[in-house]
Amino acid sequence: MREVRGDGVLSAAGAAAVLVAALSFLPIVQGTDWWWAAVIFTVAATAVSAWARSLGAPTAAGALLGLTTMPLLATALDGQGRGVLLLFPTAASSRSVLQVLNDAWVQIYADTVPAEPSPGIVLLVAVGAATAAVLVDAVAVGLGAPLPAMLVVLALAIVPGKALHTGTSGWLLAGVAVAVLLVVAADRRRRGSAPRVVGLVTGGAAALVLALLAQVVLPAPFVTDAQGLPLQPLFGSGADPLIRLGDNLRRGPEVPVLTYSTTSTDDVYLRLAVLENFTGATWSPNEADRYGVGVNDHAPTAPGLADDSGPTVTTRITAASDDAIGQRLPLTYPAAQVDGVFGFDWDSRGLTLVRRDSTSTVGSYSVRSLAVDTSAARLKNATTSLPAADRGSIEVPGSVPAIIRTTASGWTKGATTPYEIALAIQNHLRSAPFAYDEQTPVQQGYDGDGLGVIAKFLAVKSGYCVHYASTMAVMARLEGIPARVVVGYQPGTRSIVNGHTVYTVTSNDLHAWPELYFDGFGWLRFEPTPGRGALATYAPQPGASQASDAAPNKADRVTATPSAVPSATASAAAGGGSGGKGGSALPGVLRSLGIGLLVVAVLLLPAGLRRSVRRRRIARLSRGAPAEVGWQEVLDTATDLAAAPKTGLSLRAAEAALRRTLGASPAAAAALGRIRAAYERQAYGGRDQQVAADDVMAVITAMGSAATLPARLRAGLVPRSLLGVLPRARIRPLRAVVSRP
């Protein structure tokens, strides 16, 4: 009974350690509702697991029973009252829970930290904490290895901050160190040893030092070279590129990207990528054609143009540094020919260029593009249809919130042509009370581009280019006009260099805007974001001068400067490639050291578990545990050394086989005889017998001394006996060796 109580205290201490470590999510998820949910899930799962083990269930079975509490609690939390007795899942409640989880995955993909504590996020954190607690309980109590179990606690405290770059609080690490001390103290008391103050202080200091060391040297998960740069790459695996655009707009100093000169008399936007694929939750960019056309081949034909043989304009672009141009090449639209670059492929639908060769650098290049006659007079009577290659450009998947539909229909009431509809949507978004703000969406939890975000944006009426562009694109689709979102650079700052007009584009000029499709004109740019970009001549805003409206863009500020190419103060801008040159090598050394320590820890984990099992058995023998415990340790040691007796032998025959592993050690042979005799009396007499812990230590020490060095190394690093120990919660007679009459 005392051991059962000790197990319960240790289980509780392990659960408390997990809950303390789970506070690492404080800077990641808003509020504390998720933590209280984690408390409920963790306590329930740990209690059921410990209860099952106290009834004699194996460790694995107890852990599985603990995990079964999670669907019950998830049903109670997010099943919308459709479960049996509100707790047991039904088909309807399961659909509700799955929908909540699906929403959470979408939010994880698109949201920024600190994330809104949506039901799905709360459920995921609670389930994660409970799963970690069950694992800690199984290893610490079931296997008698509390210190290896604390690696799970340490990971829970550090990995979230590393993965999302929020850091880990020193107070949290101190709290984790205290929690580890409580686990160690509970384990010692469970074994019948009073916790020593000196040992606890030393252990706590060691735990804190280990936590601080791990926080400093371990690499961040999923890190990429570009994450060390001032800006994130806009286009890559993981997050929504529009979310990354917002992060870049809010981040740090202004970084030069490129300069350009042009023969165009209109404002020049440089396109990076077209985001045409809309899931209802996020936009994603078009990729290059799998068997597409290279940059040096003839450019694909721009869709929808009545005449693609008209006049052209030429834009000469110079990168600010060797790695300022990343995965996407800035282009004017509609591009007809690009000279001076290599290693890019065309995206024929969006008419953009995607990098194929990551080793090629971009210096200066020229883009020849068509000069399309897009006067307002011609557009007034233009029709619209669905482009053959862009059938998805009219789709709005998912359930569209009512505020989006009603707002769109209200704004376009009275508009009779596609052009009038587009102009009405643009000009309403550019007018009061809508305002440009990069921070409000983050602070109020709607920094994204899906339907739910657009609905919140229309209510708050504050956001940046991502929100305006995605809102206009969705509204245009609802009104029957094909639309998509484009990411690139607005015109930049105009300067006079040696008598010539040159535009300088920096990271502050990153921008998103919608393109709408009109028959005979193709895809046309609109500018719904107030205070950013420049209005197209065919889409003016009544009552506002274009120059003053675009003032924050600084496009009309004229500066005399002797050089057309600014010096690069940072290595890359959006979509940038690898990290800058000449930086300190210390972070790389620390990361390498961290990876090495992590690999070593993983390799030594089996050895640590095996030593913990042996220590637990010896401690139990010292307290008068049955002889089977000592016999089991002898057999497992022989198994580790690849010298185990054959199955099916009698106890005396097994002893004879084991004697050959002891070498010339009469004392060890005598100790083995006493262990066998005690276990034999227990196995056949039905009453517990005791063996001396010193006898067991003498036998296993002699086995190790007689084994070869390779056998000892293999036994230490890859202990085979763990395959038999891990599934058990209590050590039972090894009936595979003992043949009972």
Side-chain angles (χ1 to χ4, degrees):
M1 182 62 67
R2 177 182 176 183
E3 185 172 326
V4 171
R5 285 199 301 269
D7 286 357
V9 173
L10 182 56
S11 294
V18 168
L19 291 173
V20 170
L23 293 172
S24 61
F25 282 89
L26 277 173
I28 296 173
V29 183
Q30 300 172 18
T32 58
D33 290 348
W34 54 268
W35 191 81
W36 290 111
V39 170
I40 295 172
F41 275 62
T42 296
V43 170
T46 305
V48 170
S49 180
W51 170 75
R53 196 172 50 248
S54 70
L55 297 179
T59 299
L64 289 175
L65 285 174
L67 294 176
T68 60
T69 62
M70 293 186 214
L72 304 181
L73 293 173
T75 300
L77 187 65
D78 295 310
Q80 297 185 358
R82 298 172 179 174
V84 177
L85 299 179
L86 301 180
L87 198 64
F88 297 96
T90 62
S93 68
S94 298
R95 284 193 296 270
S96 299
V97 172
L98 290 175
Q99 182 59 51
V100 164
L101 292 175
N102 181 68
D103 293 342
W105 289 121
V106 171
Q107 182 182 357
I108 290 171
Y109 182 81
D111 208 352
T112 56
V113 294
E116 183 180 356
S118 65
I121 293 295
V122 170
L123 180 59
L124 283 178
V125 174
V127 168
T131 302
V134 169
L135 179 60
V136 166
D137 183 57
V139 176
V141 183
L143 301 181
L147 288 181
M150 292 301 99
L151 293 176
V152 178
V153 174
L154 189 62
L156 183 59
I158 292 175
V159 169
K162 280 286 185 180
L164 297 172
H165 306 285
T166 58
T168 304
S169 166
W171 289 108
L172 175 61
L173 295 179
V176 170
V178 172
V180 170
L181 285 186
L182 294 177
V183 171
V184 172
D187 180 62
R188 288 186 61 84
R189 187 167 295 280
R190 170 175 171 266
R191 298 175 188 277
S193 303
R196 293 176 298 177
V197 175
V198 174
L200 289 180
V201 172
T202 303
L208 184 57
V209 169
L210 178 61
L212 291 172
L213 180 65
Q215 166 68 10
V216 172
V217 306
L218 288 183
F222 321 118
V223 71
T224 64
D225 291 339
Q227 284 176 324
L229 303 174
L231 299 175
Q232 298 185 52
L234 286 177
F235 306 100
S237 60
D240 180 345
L242 293 182
I243 296 299
R244 295 190 183 189
L245 189 152
D247 290 341
N248 286 332
L249 289 174
R250 288 185 290 268
R251 180 178 299 188
E254 190 173 9
V255 179
V257 178
L258 56 86
T259 59
Y260 70 88
S261 59
T262 182
T263 62
S264 174
T265 57
D266 295 328
D267 295 293
V268 172
Y269 276 56
L270 297 174
R271 302 158 86 250
L272 288 171
V274 172
L275 282 63
E276 188 172 289
N277 308 310
F278 185 53
T279 66
T282 188
W283 297 82
S284 59
N286 297 338
E287 299 297 332
D289 300 330
R290 184 176 179 185
Y291 304 105
V293 182
V295 62
N296 302 119
D297 300 318
H298 185 72
T301 302
L305 296 182
D307 182 7
D308 60 359
S309 61
T312 62
V313 297
T314 300
T315 303
R316 183 72 180 177
I317 301 171
T318 301
S321 63
D322 287 344
D323 50 7
I325 306 299
Q327 296 301 309
R328 305 271 175 158
L329 190 72
L331 292 180
T332 54
Y333 185 83
Q337 182 177 337
V338 179
D339 296 316
V341 293
F342 305 92
F344 287 81
D345 286 334
W346 285 102
D347 154 33
S348 59
R349 285 198 299 159
L351 211 58
T352 62
L353 283 169
V354 183
R355 185 183 289 275
R356 179 184 68 248
D357 182 4
S358 60
T359 62
S360 63
T361 59
V362 177
S364 295
Y365 60 100
S366 63
V367 184
R368 185 172 61 86
S369 52
L370 301 175
V372 182
D373 182 3
T374 52
S375 63
R378 294 187 65 217
L379 274 170
K380 284 181 180 179
N381 298 317
T383 59
T384 187
S385 60
L386 185 61
D390 299 292
R391 308 200 68 82
S393 61
I394 199 66
E395 296 177 356
V396 183
S399 177
V400 179
I403 188 175
I404 301 177
R405 291 189 182 276
T406 56
T407 303
S409 61
W411 286 354
T412 59
K413 185 178 181 180
T416 58
T417 67
Y419 170 74
E420 291 177 351
I421 291 173
L423 207 59
I425 297 173
Q426 171 194 273
N427 293 339
H428 272 90
L429 287 170
R430 290 188 70 89
S431 303
F434 285 94
Y436 183 89
D437 191 329
E438 296 169 1
Q439 302 299 330
T440 299
V442 177
Q443 296 166 356
Q444 298 196 23
Y446 62 95
D447 190 21
D449 49 19
L451 294 173
V453 169
I454 292 173
K456 184 69 176 290
F457 163 71
L458 289 174
V460 178
K461 297 179 174 57
S462 180
Y464 56 97
C465 57
V466 165
H467 305 93
Y468 289 94
S470 55
T471 298
M472 182 169 179
V474 167
M475 285 186 171
R477 289 188 177 190
L478 291 175
E479 295 299 320
I481 306 174
R484 59 195 190 184
V485 175
V486 179
V487 175
Y489 296 103
Q490 61 184 6
T493 302
R494 184 164 60 94
S495 305
I496 303 300
V497 180
N498 299 327
H500 296 88
T501 300
V502 175
Y503 291 84
T504 299
V505 173
T506 71
S507 56
N508 286 354
D509 294 311
L510 279 167
H511 193 42
W513 62 90
E515 286 185 346
L516 277 61
Y517 183 83
F518 295 87
D519 296 326
F521 299 90
W523 292 98
L524 296 182
R525 170 183 65 85
F526 286 81
E527 185 52 85
T529 306
R532 294 282 286 181
L535 287 167
T537 56
Y538 53 81
Q541 182 179 12
S545 71
Q546 185 168 330
S548 62
D549 194 54
N553 178 34
K554 302 173 291 186
D556 294 316
R557 182 186 303 167
V558 180
T559 305
T561 177
S563 174
V565 182
S567 60
T569 58
S571 59
S578 60
K581 304 174 179 112
S584 171
L586 182 59
V589 172
L590 292 178
R591 286 185 177 180
S592 299
L593 177 61
I595 293 173
L597 291 174
L598 184 61
V599 170
V600 170
V602 171
L603 291 176
L604 294 180
L605 183 59
L609 288 174
R610 179 66 181 92
R611 288 178 65 87
S612 295
V613 170
R614 175 175 291 170
R615 184 165 57 88
R616 178 190 179 196
R617 287 170 173 169
I618 297 301
R620 292 184 64 198
L621 289 172
S622 300
R623 300 196 301 268
E628 67 178 270
V629 175
W631 181 251
Q632 183 69 65
E633 179 57 36
V634 169
L635 290 174
D636 283 353
T637 301
T639 299
D640 295 339
L641 294 168
K646 295 180 180 179
T647 58
L649 297 177
S650 66
L651 281 174
R652 292 178 184 271
E655 178 192 356
L658 289 169
R659 282 179 183 272
R660 293 192 289 271
T661 68
L662 301 177
S665 177
L672 178 61
R674 289 191 291 272
I675 296 170
R676 186 271 308 160
Y679 184 45
E680 189 174 45
R681 289 193 296 272
Q682 175 180 319
Y684 289 93
R687 298 181 60 185
D688 285 351
Q689 301 290 323
Q690 281 74 45
V691 296
D694 290 343
D695 281 349
V696 175
M697 289 301 301
V699 171
I700 62 179
T701 301
M703 284 182 177
S705 299
T708 63
L709 178 59
R712 291 200 299 272
L713 290 175
R714 187 169 55 248
L717 294 176
V718 190
R720 301 180 180 181
S721 61
L722 281 182
L723 297 176
V725 172
L726 285 174
R728 292 196 298 270
R730 298 282 186 267
I731 299 171
R732 291 178 170 78
L734 190 66
R735 292 180 175 84
V737 173
V738 180
S739 296
R740 296 193 179 211

CSV table of all heavy atoms in Angstrom, one decimal, residues 673-698:
chain,number,residue,atom,x,y,z
A,673,GLY,N,24.2,-19.3,-7.0
A,673,GLY,CA,23.5,-20.4,-6.4
A,673,GLY,C,22.4,-20.0,-5.4
A,673,GLY,O,21.3,-20.6,-5.3
A,674,ARG,N,22.8,-19.1,-4.6
A,674,ARG,CA,21.8,-18.6,-3.5
A,674,ARG,C,20.6,-17.9,-4.2
A,674,ARG,O,19.5,-18.1,-3.7
A,674,ARG,CB,22.5,-17.7,-2.6
A,674,ARG,CG,23.6,-18.3,-1.7
A,674,ARG,CD,24.0,-17.4,-0.5
A,674,ARG,NE,24.9,-16.3,-1.0
A,674,ARG,CZ,26.2,-16.4,-1.2
A,674,ARG,NH1,26.8,-17.5,-0.9
A,674,ARG,NH2,26.9,-15.3,-1.6
A,675,ILE,N,20.9,-17.2,-5.2
A,675,ILE,CA,19.8,-16.5,-5.9
A,675,ILE,C,18.8,-17.5,-6.5
A,675,ILE,O,17.6,-17.5,-6.4
A,675,ILE,CB,20.3,-15.5,-7.0
A,675,ILE,CG1,21.1,-14.4,-6.3
A,675,ILE,CG2,19.1,-15.0,-7.8
A,675,ILE,CD1,21.8,-13.6,-7.3
A,676,ARG,N,19.4,-18.5,-7.2
A,676,ARG,CA,18.6,-19.6,-7.8
A,676,ARG,C,17.8,-20.4,-6.8
A,676,ARG,O,16.6,-20.6,-7.0
A,676,ARG,CB,19.5,-20.5,-8.6
A,676,ARG,CG,18.8,-21.6,-9.5
A,676,ARG,CD,18.5,-22.8,-8.7
A,676,ARG,NE,19.7,-23.3,-8.1
A,676,ARG,CZ,19.8,-24.2,-7.1
A,676,ARG,NH1,18.6,-24.6,-6.6
A,676,ARG,NH2,20.9,-24.6,-6.6
A,677,ALA,N,18.5,-20.7,-5.7
A,677,ALA,CA,17.8,-21.5,-4.6
A,677,ALA,C,16.6,-20.7,-4.0
A,677,ALA,O,15.5,-21.3,-3.8
A,677,ALA,CB,18.8,-21.9,-3.5
A,678,ALA,N,16.8,-19.4,-3.8
A,678,ALA,CA,15.7,-18.6,-3.2
A,678,ALA,C,14.6,-18.5,-4.2
A,678,ALA,O,13.4,-18.7,-3.8
A,678,ALA,CB,16.2,-17.2,-2.8
A,679,TYR,N,14.9,-18.3,-5.4
A,679,TYR,CA,13.8,-18.2,-6.4
A,679,TYR,C,13.1,-19.5,-6.6
A,679,TYR,O,11.9,-19.6,-6.9
A,679,TYR,CB,14.4,-17.6,-7.7
A,679,TYR,CG,13.3,-17.4,-8.8
A,679,TYR,CD1,12.1,-16.7,-8.4
A,679,TYR,CD2,13.5,-17.8,-10.1
A,679,TYR,CE1,11.1,-16.5,-9.4
A,679,TYR,CE2,12.5,-17.5,-11.0
A,679,TYR,CZ,11.3,-16.9,-10.7
A,679,TYR,OH,10.4,-16.6,-11.6
A,680,GLU,N,13.9,-20.6,-6.6
A,680,GLU,CA,13.3,-21.9,-6.7
A,680,GLU,C,12.3,-22.2,-5.6
A,680,GLU,O,11.2,-22.7,-5.9
A,680,GLU,CB,14.4,-23.0,-6.8
A,680,GLU,CG,13.9,-24.4,-7.1
A,680,GLU,CD,15.1,-25.3,-7.3
A,680,GLU,OE1,16.0,-25.3,-6.4
A,680,GLU,OE2,15.1,-26.0,-8.3
A,681,ARG,N,12.7,-21.9,-4.4
A,681,ARG,CA,11.8,-22.1,-3.2
A,681,ARG,C,10.5,-21.2,-3.4
A,681,ARG,O,9.4,-21.7,-3.1
A,681,ARG,CB,12.4,-21.7,-1.9
A,681,ARG,CG,13.5,-22.7,-1.5
A,681,ARG,CD,13.9,-22.5,-0.1
A,681,ARG,NE,14.6,-21.2,0.1
A,681,ARG,CZ,15.9,-20.9,0.0
A,681,ARG,NH1,16.7,-21.9,-0.4
A,681,ARG,NH2,16.3,-19.7,0.2
A,682,GLN,N,10.7,-20.0,-4.0
A,682,GLN,CA,9.5,-19.1,-4.2
A,682,GLN,C,8.6,-19.7,-5.3
A,682,GLN,O,7.4,-19.7,-5.2
A,682,GLN,CB,10.0,-17.7,-4.5
A,682,GLN,CG,8.8,-16.8,-4.9
A,682,GLN,CD,9.3,-15.4,-5.3
A,682,GLN,OE1,10.2,-14.9,-4.6
A,682,GLN,NE2,8.8,-14.8,-6.3
A,683,ALA,N,9.3,-20.1,-6.4
A,683,ALA,CA,8.5,-20.6,-7.5
A,683,ALA,C,7.7,-21.8,-7.3
A,683,ALA,O,6.6,-22.0,-7.7
A,683,ALA,CB,9.4,-20.8,-8.7
A,684,TYR,N,8.3,-22.7,-6.5
A,684,TYR,CA,7.7,-24.0,-6.2
A,684,TYR,C,6.9,-24.0,-4.9
A,684,TYR,O,6.0,-24.8,-4.7
A,684,TYR,CB,8.7,-25.1,-6.2
A,684,TYR,CG,9.2,-25.4,-7.6
A,684,TYR,CD1,10.4,-24.8,-8.1
A,684,TYR,CD2,8.6,-26.3,-8.5
A,684,TYR,CE1,10.9,-25.0,-9.3
A,684,TYR,CE2,9.0,-26.5,-9.7
A,684,TYR,CZ,10.2,-25.9,-10.2
A,684,TYR,OH,10.7,-26.2,-11.4
A,685,GLY,N,7.3,-23.1,-4.0
A,685,GLY,CA,6.7,-23.2,-2.6
A,685,GLY,C,5.5,-22.2,-2.5
A,685,GLY,O,4.7,-22.3,-1.6
A,686,GLY,N,5.5,-21.2,-3.4
A,686,GLY,CA,4.4,-20.3,-3.4
A,686,GLY,C,4.5,-19.2,-2.4
A,686,GLY,O,3.6,-18.4,-2.2
A,687,ARG,N,5.6,-19.1,-1.7
A,687,ARG,CA,5.8,-18.0,-0.7
A,687,ARG,C,7.0,-17.2,-1.1
A,687,ARG,O,8.0,-17.7,-1.6
A,687,ARG,CB,6.1,-18.6,0.7
A,687,ARG,CG,4.9,-19.4,1.2
A,687,ARG,CD,5.1,-20.0,2.6
A,687,ARG,NE,5.3,-18.9,3.6
A,687,ARG,CZ,5.7,-19.1,4.8
A,687,ARG,NH1,5.8,-20.4,5.3
A,687,ARG,NH2,5.9,-18.1,5.7
A,688,ASP,N,7.0,-15.9,-0.8
A,688,ASP,CA,8.1,-15.0,-1.2
A,688,ASP,C,9.3,-15.4,-0.4
A,688,ASP,O,9.3,-15.7,0.8
A,688,ASP,CB,7.7,-13.5,-0.9
A,688,ASP,CG,6.7,-13.0,-1.9
A,688,ASP,OD1,6.5,-13.7,-2.9
A,688,ASP,OD2,6.2,-11.9,-1.7
A,689,GLN,N,10.4,-15.3,-1.1
A,689,GLN,CA,11.8,-15.5,-0.6
A,689,GLN,C,12.6,-14.3,-0.9
A,689,GLN,O,12.3,-13.6,-1.9
A,689,GLN,CB,12.4,-16.8,-1.1
A,689,GLN,CG,11.7,-18.1,-0.9
A,689,GLN,CD,11.7,-18.5,0.6
A,689,GLN,OE1,12.7,-18.3,1.2
A,689,GLN,NE2,10.5,-19.0,1.0
A,690,GLN,N,13.6,-14.0,-0.1
A,690,GLN,CA,14.4,-12.8,-0.3
A,690,GLN,C,15.8,-13.3,-0.7
A,690,GLN,O,16.3,-14.3,-0.3
A,690,GLN,CB,14.5,-11.9,0.9
A,690,GLN,CG,13.3,-11.1,1.2
A,690,GLN,CD,12.1,-11.8,1.7
A,690,GLN,OE1,12.2,-12.7,2.6
A,690,GLN,NE2,10.9,-11.6,1.1
A,691,VAL,N,16.5,-12.4,-1.5
A,691,VAL,CA,17.9,-12.6,-1.8
A,691,VAL,C,18.6,-11.2,-1.5
A,691,VAL,O,18.0,-10.2,-1.5
A,691,VAL,CB,18.1,-12.9,-3.3
A,691,VAL,CG1,17.5,-14.2,-3.6
A,691,VAL,CG2,17.6,-11.8,-4.2
A,692,ALA,N,19.9,-11.3,-1.3
A,692,ALA,CA,20.7,-10.1,-0.9
A,692,ALA,C,21.0,-9.3,-2.2
A,692,ALA,O,21.4,-9.9,-3.2
A,692,ALA,CB,21.9,-10.5,-0.2
A,693,ALA,N,20.8,-8.0,-2.1
A,693,ALA,CA,21.2,-7.2,-3.2
A,693,ALA,C,22.7,-7.3,-3.5
A,693,ALA,O,23.0,-7.2,-4.7
A,693,ALA,CB,20.8,-5.7,-2.9
A,694,ASP,N,23.5,-7.6,-2.5
A,694,ASP,CA,24.9,-7.7,-2.8
A,694,ASP,C,25.2,-9.0,-3.6
A,694,ASP,O,26.1,-8.9,-4.4
A,694,ASP,CB,25.7,-7.8,-1.4
A,694,ASP,CG,25.7,-6.5,-0.7
A,694,ASP,OD1,25.4,-5.5,-1.3
A,694,ASP,OD2,26.0,-6.5,0.5
A,695,ASP,N,24.4,-10.0,-3.4
A,695,ASP,CA,24.6,-11.2,-4.3
A,695,ASP,C,24.3,-10.9,-5.7
A,695,ASP,O,25.0,-11.3,-6.6
A,695,ASP,CB,23.7,-12.3,-3.8
A,695,ASP,CG,24.2,-13.0,-2.5
A,695,ASP,OD1,25.4,-12.8,-2.2
A,695,ASP,OD2,23.5,-13.8,-1.9
A,696,VAL,N,23.2,-10.2,-6.0
A,696,VAL,CA,22.9,-9.8,-7.3
A,696,VAL,C,24.0,-8.9,-8.0
A,696,VAL,O,24.4,-9.2,-9.1
A,696,VAL,CB,21.5,-9.1,-7.4
A,696,VAL,CG1,21.2,-8.6,-8.8
A,696,VAL,CG2,20.4,-10.0,-6.9
A,697,MET,N,24.5,-7.9,-7.2
A,697,MET,CA,25.5,-7.1,-7.7
A,697,MET,C,26.8,-7.9,-8.0
A,697,MET,O,27.5,-7.6,-9.0
A,697,MET,CB,25.8,-6.0,-6.7
A,697,MET,CG,24.7,-4.9,-6.6
A,697,MET,SD,24.4,-4.1,-8.2
A,697,MET,CE,26.0,-3.4,-8.6
A,698,ALA,N,27.1,-8.9,-7.2
A,698,ALA,CA,28.3,-9.7,-7.4
A,698,ALA,C,28.2,-10.5,-8.7
A,698,ALA,O,29.1,-10.6,-9.5
A,698,ALA,CB,28.5,-10.6,-6.2
